[in-house]
Amino acid sequence: MANIYIPYGTVEGQTAQIAEYIAELIRAHGHLADAVDLKRSGDTLPAGYDGVIVAASVHMGKHEGHVTDFVKKNREELERLQSALVSVSLAAHGDEQNAEGYVEKFEEETGWRPAHVGLFAGALLYTHYGFIKKRIMKKIASDKGSLDTDTTRDYVYTEWDGVQRFTEDYLARLAKPAGQK
C-alpha cells in the first residue's frame, strides 16, 4: 500500500476538485492519499510519502506562485519519489499546444521535469466571478470562438475519464521497481 501526497493550488476550485477526485481514485485502489491545499499547508513536503502528484491551475499563462515555490523548495524529493504534475487550464480544452507550453515554462522556472504529466481542462465558472472578471472571461471565450458565453451559468470542461486514466497510469508506474519506466 502506497501513501500519496497531492498538494495543489487552485483559484476558483476546479483544481481542488480534480485533486480530491485523484485522491478518491487512489483510495479506491487500496492506497492512502492526502489532497492538500498549498495555501493552507505551507511549502514543505511532509515525510512518509511514497509519491507526490502536484496539481496546479494556470491563470494569465502561469501556474500559481505558491505551487512554483513548493516545487522549487522540494525539487530533490520530487525527483527521488514517483512524482507527477497535473496542469489545469482552459487551454487544455482545445489548445493543447498552449497547455503544453505552460508546462514547459513551469519546468524551466522550477527545474523539475516530472516523468508523468496530466493536462486537464478546467472550467469557466461565470457564476463565481465578479463583474469585471466575468466580462473579461466572456470576451476571451468569445475571441477564441467559444459559444460558452452565457454568464448566467458555468461550463466545466474537465474530462473525468481522462483524470481516471492518468491516475491509474500513475499507480501502475508507482508499482514498478525503481529504474523501470
Side-chain angles (χ1 to χ4, degrees):
M1 171 176 22
N3 191 9
I4 311 302
Y5 189 61
I6 310 167
Y8 65 85
T10 191
V11 174
E12 281 113 19
Q14 191 65 17
T15 303
Q17 287 186 20
I18 292 169
E20 292 292 345
Y21 181 64
I22 289 170
E24 288 174 23
L25 289 168
I26 290 170
R27 289 184 205 115
H29 281 83
H31 303 285
L32 302 173
D34 295 316
V36 181
D37 186 344
L38 283 172
K39 280 186 184 171
R40 294 190 194 109
S41 67
D43 64 358
T44 300
L45 175 59
Y49 287 95
D50 305 301
V52 181
I53 300 173
V54 177
S57 59
V58 175
H59 291 272
M60 304 297 288
K62 295 181 74 171
H63 292 86
E64 288 99 346
H66 59 282
V67 176
T68 301
D69 293 343
F70 171 84
V71 169
K72 285 179 181 177
K73 180 176 180 180
N74 298 284
R75 192 179 92 212
E76 286 182 22
E77 274 298 285
L78 292 172
E79 290 170 350
R80 186 184 67 76
L81 296 170
Q82 181 70 258
S83 61
L85 173 67
V86 168
S87 178
V88 180
S89 67
L90 287 176
H93 177 66
D95 188 1
E96 195 162 313
Q97 184 175 0
N98 224 1
E100 290 171 354
Y102 297 146
V103 170
E104 289 171 14
K105 192 182 331 179
F106 183 75
E107 289 176 344
E108 288 171 16
E109 190 174 348
T110 63
W112 177 48
R113 306 278 186 266
H116 196 54
V117 176
L119 301 174
F120 300 112
L124 270 175
L125 302 175
Y126 288 121
T127 64
H128 299 233
Y129 303 153
F131 179 80
I132 293 172
K133 185 169 185 175
K134 188 180 290 190
R135 298 295 173 249
I136 290 170
M137 295 307 290
K138 179 179 178 176
K139 171 97 170 85
I140 291 169
S142 179
D143 289 351
K144 295 216 180 247
S146 174
L147 299 177
D148 299 340
T149 56
D150 177 357
T151 61
T152 63
R153 60 171 291 217
D154 297 331
Y155 300 88
V156 176
Y157 304 115
T158 306
E159 294 180 15
W160 299 104
D161 290 347
V163 176
Q164 181 175 348
R165 283 189 302 277
F166 166 86
T167 304
E168 290 171 349
D169 186 42
Y170 173 83
L171 290 172
R173 289 171 183 247
L174 188 68
K176 291 182 181 177
Q180 279 191 0
K181 296 236 178 198

